[in-house]
Amino acid sequence: MYRTHTNGELRIENVNEKTTLSGWIQKIRNLGGMTFIDLRDRYGVTQLVFDMETNNELCEKARKLGREYVIQATGTVAERSNKNKNMATGDIEIIVNELNILNPSEIPPFTIEDETDGGEEIRMRYRYLDLRRNPIKNALFLRHKMSLEVRKYLDANLFIETETPVLIKSTPEGARDFVVPSRMHKGQFYALPQSPQVFKQLLMVSGFDRYYQIVKCFRDEDFRADRQPEFTQIDCEMSFVNQEDIYSMFEGMAKQLFKTFKNIDFTEPFPRMTYQEAMETYGNDKPDLRFGMKFTEITQIAQNKGFKVFDEAEYVGGICAENCSEYTRKQLDALTDFVKKPQIGATGLIYVKCNLDGTYKSSVDKFFTPDDLKLWAETMKAKAGDLILILAGKKKKTLSALSELRLEMGTILGLRQKDKYAPLWVVDFPLLEWDEENQRYHAMHHPFTSPKTEDLHLLETHPGEIRAQAYDFVINGNEIGGGSIRIHNSELQQKMFNLLGFTPEEANNQFGFLMNAFKFGAPPHGGIAFGLDRLVTLFHGSDSIRDVIAFPKNNAGRDVMIDSPSILSPEQLKELNLKVID
Amino acid sequence: MYRTHTNGELRIENVNEKTTLSGWIQKIRNLGGMTFIDLRDRYGVTQLVFDMETNNELCEKARKLGREYVIQATGTVAERSNKNKNMATGDIEIIVNELNILNPSEIPPFTIEDETDGGEEIRMRYRYLDLRRNPIKNALFLRHKMSLEVRKYLDANLFIETETPVLIKSTPEGARDFVVPSRMHKGQFYALPQSPQVFKQLLMVSGFDRYYQIVKCFRDEDFRADRQPEFTQIDCEMSFVNQEDIYSMFEGMAKQLFKTFKNIDFTEPFPRMTYQEAMETYGNDKPDLRFGMKFTEITQIAQNKGFKVFDEAEYVGGICAENCSEYTRKQLDALTDFVKKPQIGATGLIYVKCNLDGTYKSSVDKFFTPDDLKLWAETMKAKAGDLILILAGKKKKTLSALSELRLEMGTILGLRQKDKYAPLWVVDFPLLEWDEENQRYHAMHHPFTSPKTEDLHLLETHPGEIRAQAYDFVINGNEIGGGSIRIHNSELQQKMFNLLGFTPEEANNQFGFLMNAFKFGAPPHGGIAFGLDRLVTLFHGSDSIRDVIAFPKNNAGRDVMIDSPSILSPEQLKELNLKVID
């Protein structure tokens, strides 16, 4: 037996008991004739004591140990004279009389403390050591507990967890599918699922009624910051439901998570915002509602005063930053530089200071009278002391740049606190988006999304205007979940494929089994999938999803610890009947 | 809203209430002026009633419906005059006044009843319909509940579920790895895990202490009956444990499952048997202990009597089938044919009937006296009325054939009841097995398995004799779980790789990160993995693991429903820089 107790367990009540502990050496301190070791395991830290006077040999042995050695110590629990109120075991210490080195340790490449001196690269290479650090370890323990809580909620609501296959079928549409060559079927490939979408729909056809799965999904895409080639979804589907049923079921889940892990009671229904409103007032389909600073359009009132930038713009609009009228030249220049960054792409920034004395000062005073500026301020509900920031140009691009500016101002003004949560539903997404390059429609959500019944008449005439029964669940500017009510009628599904440019043959080839399934009594159904990685990241207050993944890949999709991906041996390739071409 | 109740919900207390139900039509019966519809969903069946007299039009509409139509019916709950005690809702029926066809159904390709007329192939092609059938649906619901119960137990015991990566590294050793070409890193591949082995060991190095994961694993092998290319493991690992700790933790889990799902109380510890004993007395490292019929070796007493088959045999041994002395010629011939099948490979079968009158009758009476036969019978503890069945030949092969014969006799005699469970631990597996063909050792379990301490001295001299700290958990002749105490010392691990024929370079190339990890304070650790598919199959009493997998692949590794694997488009191959060669 390696231990009688863990290092988080012993209390003042245990004094005089014999105990055996095992764990890692967090710290060794030599104080006069005494040596103290902080022994660590997952459960806590316990202080071991060695006394040069009473046991010289043992104390000498202890002094030779180093950080991260794994040891086993047997001794007697004693009351500490110098109690540590910050430690659960701080009232006691162990007078050790037997010491056993279970495994020595080389000096770790970075310090294993809450704050470490290790950079990202080295911590990833030695991820197993990084995982010993409390911030990372706690993130993963939180992930475990959140997954459990999700399961508890869904089980209580009669969802059945059902595993769907990982080796599925590649489709030409699935340009970002990872594929898997089959050894038994030469020249043929499986694909890894980007989501279990069709399988969960088939389970509804099977009458499973409520399905869920916490499941790995895969996408072989160029990695943007904070994406992983494999990620985990809380994937859910329900039968005989409409959008309201979905909202209420999954608001319940979110509320339970907030209550359990953040002790926040959301007593009201989460706000809902149409896609259109989100785009018009936040320039973004996942608005961060921790703060206001909505957009106000002033195109009408700003044009025809001789300022060419506005006159030629499709859209002129801005935000009002409260109490920022005294921003310095330098601060304003920094904001201008920010919006002019290539990834944001504005050509410039116009400001209006609503001075405390009631006057206005703007960067376009040449073109506009104080009354003009006053009208803008009134339209934008700016008070004396506020700062108005205005962008102008092509509508879509300007809204998007304004969104970035708004978020930047929110950050600057400390309005995006990590411990504040602003959940909402974004609803009524467009069904289709137009692909200029290929001159065709794409499904905005996916091809199985149901149009809104009241928009069905637009199907033949104005497909681009159809709204979908699709919704996203957003928290603090992050898309945490997304889903839709699905098409359950094979004819409508066929029409959708048609609209998306599939020939009947292609549609049949790729989704024939689904359309076939719809012919045998498919119930109305819909669902949602939540990104577990992102949800945990948000609850943990991390900046990167890599913090909540035990063994993440870097931004190039590479696991630097195991050094993967890697080349195959010629024999392996031969057995797969594959050749790598240059 | 599609329904106010499910079809399993309404009771006599609900009489006179208004209700709306949705579901599938299980059956339509027209009796005189009445039409009855059994409406089915996951939760049960409720009877709908339509009366030609009171609502002719509605009743006509109902009569036009067919099996598996999805409908919505609104009406009033009424007490049945003719109650059905076999149905939870059998006391009531619904007098329908509104009927809504949600989706029609073509005639299904097989009947959706507990007993179906559909063959395996067609049921697989229409798996979503097969899943509507109770036996399959219930298997999957049991799977869900068993997974939950496993989680409940492990969580109560402080295990942390941690997701390990699915895109890992291929090793030349992993001849059965599925590989995944990377688009971003041309010519490089990930591999899918055959198990999360090294990652769970790394989590122990990280101090996670107790890990588990219900996780998909992958093996690209020629499919034997009842294997799947993707399968699910309950994967567990613990730190600071020895074998006894593992046994007691996971016996606890198994006992909780037996109690919860089978109402069986296993109050005693599960029996343990060494690998050697299992092989000698059952010819098999996963003996079915639902019945006895142990082997008895009689080589010594059977040789040197002039019967060449025995005299030239390395091993002579047999089993005693109780009360089978009156087996007919035909029955004995059938057994002889059985053991002579190529996959069993015995050259013949010798029998001794221990007649009720105390005489003996054998197929080798020519060579042996009644006293000889009596001695055999005594040695084998055969009583009057029993039948002795003997095989002889090369030891290993004969034990194996005898094992098959024993199982066959167990089946014939009805000793392998599905509702009886005989769990045991098989322990002390050999560390290595000798590969004649390649003239080298293979790890019997895997290269990370710790030798037994008392056998360590054989490492240099007789590695083939070393026993491992490895164990299998067996139920009714099925290997349900297997694991080991791991090596946690990097030097010993290096030696093991050496023994297995890895050059230091190869070992470093493939497992360098693990050996490196062991240098920074690896705790003693060990674990086990259970096959969830097989465990559920056993509890459900199915014959095939395909019954407990929602969307299984066939024996050729093919998903006939989605038709996968399949060929890729030339564009996809090009983007992966791959060429299929013939």
Side-chain angles (χ1 to χ4, degrees), chain B residues 248-495:
Chain B
S248 97
M249 178 62 70
F250 294 100
E251 274 193 39
M253 185 175 98
K255 285 174 180 176
Q256 185 162 320
L257 291 174
F258 276 120
K259 179 66 189 162
T260 307
F261 296 101
K262 294 284 150 188
N263 199 24
I264 300 174
D265 269 308
F266 281 100
T267 49
E268 298 296 309
F270 292 155
R272 298 180 196 171
M273 190 183 292
T274 64
Y275 172 84
Q276 195 180 350
E277 185 187 347
M279 294 308 284
E280 296 274 349
T281 58
Y282 297 97
N284 197 314
D285 63 0
K286 42 180 197 277
D288 184 347
L289 295 196
R290 279 176 295 184
F291 65 108
M293 231 187 266
K294 282 192 194 185
F295 302 173
T296 306
E297 181 174 1
I298 54 166
T299 317
Q300 294 285 337
I301 56 176
Q303 285 184 334
N304 303 317
K305 305 278 177 167
F307 183 44
K308 217 171 126 188
V309 173
F310 283 3
D311 291 349
E312 289 175 355
E314 186 186 358
Y315 174 94
V316 183
I319 55 175
C320 169
E322 289 184 23
N323 305 317
C324 294
S325 69
E326 317 230 318
Y327 259 38
T328 61
R329 179 87 242 159
K330 201 176 153 193
Q331 285 174 301
L332 290 166
D333 283 350
L335 289 176
T336 306
D337 289 346
F338 175 82
V339 298
K340 285 166 100 171
K341 284 199 291 187
Q343 63 269 43
I344 297 181
T347 47
L349 173 69
I350 284 92
Y351 69 83
V352 180
K353 290 178 169 179
C354 307
N355 295 320
L356 285 166
D357 63 6
T359 62
Y360 298 93
K361 166 78 190 115
S362 88
S363 51
V364 285
D365 283 347
K366 239 195 285 186
F367 302 99
F368 299 94
T369 66
D371 276 352
D372 289 334
L373 301 181
K374 193 179 174 205
L375 179 60
W376 298 1
E378 282 169 5
T379 308
M380 298 182 75
K381 300 200 174 64
K383 308 175 311 297
D386 292 352
L387 172 70
I388 294 171
L389 299 169
I390 297 170
L391 297 179
K394 278 283 191 193
K395 181 166 181 178
K396 202 172 157 190
K397 206 173 158 187
T398 305
L399 286 172
S400 162
L402 208 46
S403 168
E404 295 295 335
L405 178 62
R406 172 181 173 271
L407 292 172
E408 175 73 4
M409 284 308 296
T411 302
I412 289 171
L413 297 174
L415 302 173
R416 305 177 73 191
Q417 306 102 297
K418 281 198 172 166
D419 56 351
K420 192 178 163 183
Y421 295 91
L424 81 152
W425 294 101
V426 177
V427 302
D428 292 357
F429 274 80
L431 183 69
L432 305 166
E433 52 188 350
W434 182 250
D435 175 352
E436 272 299 334
E437 194 184 321
N438 298 303
Q439 289 286 306
R440 48 169 285 198
Y441 284 112
H442 283 298
M444 188 136 179
H445 189 52
H446 56 53
F448 315 111
T449 300
S450 179
K452 293 194 83 158
T453 317
E454 59 264 48
D455 290 358
L456 265 176
H457 66 280
L458 300 166
L459 207 60
E460 315 286 346
T461 53
H462 300 84
E465 290 173 23
I466 300 174
R467 291 165 303 163
Q469 299 193 48
Y471 33 81
D472 274 359
F473 181 59
V474 173
I475 305 177
N476 296 2
N478 295 288
E479 182 198 326
I480 295 298
S484 63
I485 300 297
R486 326 298 183 186
I487 297 169
H488 63 277
N489 172 298
S490 57
E491 275 170 55
L492 182 56
Q493 187 64 67
Q494 183 72 67
K495 258 187 207 161

Side-chain angles (χ1 to χ4, degrees), chain B residues 120 123 135-136 139 225-227 290 411 416-418 478 533-534 536-548 555:
Chain B
E120 169 96 6
R123 290 194 293 115
I136 307 294
D226 235 21
R227 292 259 186 147
R290 279 176 295 184
T411 302
R416 305 177 73 191
Q417 306 102 297
K418 281 198 172 166
N478 295 288
D533 307 295
R534 212 162 286 284
V536 179
T537 305
L538 198 70
F539 270 62
H540 188 249
S542 297
D543 292 318
S544 165
I545 60 170
R546 287 196 297 280
D547 285 349
V548 305
N555 277 339

Side-chain angles (χ1 to χ4, degrees), chain A residues 155 158-163 202-212 239, chain B residues 24 40-44 127 130-150 257 260-261 532 536-537 539-540 542 547-550:
Chain A
D155 296 324
L158 302 180
F159 285 76
I160 300 279
E161 184 162 37
T162 310
E163 296 174 56
L202 289 177
L203 288 174
M204 295 303 102
V205 174
S206 299
F208 274 43
D209 208 74
R210 295 181 173 192
Y211 144 94
Y212 86 99
S239 289
Chain B
W24 287 261
R40 182 194 74 222
D41 64 14
R42 179 183 126 194
Y43 311 95
R127 181 63 166 179
D130 199 30
L131 285 168
R132 286 188 189 164
R133 297 171 52 238
N134 285 319
I136 307 294
K137 189 184 74 174
N138 291 341
L140 286 159
F141 290 4
L142 176 66
R143 184 186 182 108
H144 164 66
K145 286 184 209 136
M146 286 182 71
S147 303
L148 258 187
E149 194 66 28
V150 163
L257 291 174
T260 307
F261 296 101
L532 179 64
V536 179
T537 305
F539 270 62
H540 188 249
S542 297
D547 285 349
V548 305
I549 296 171

Side-chain angles (χ1 to χ4, degrees), chain B residues 59-72:
Chain B
C59 193
E60 284 295 355
K61 186 175 174 188
R63 286 183 177 193
K64 289 200 189 95
L65 303 174
R67 280 188 175 222
E68 303 304 324
Y69 271 53
V70 185
I71 62 167
Q72 181 189 41

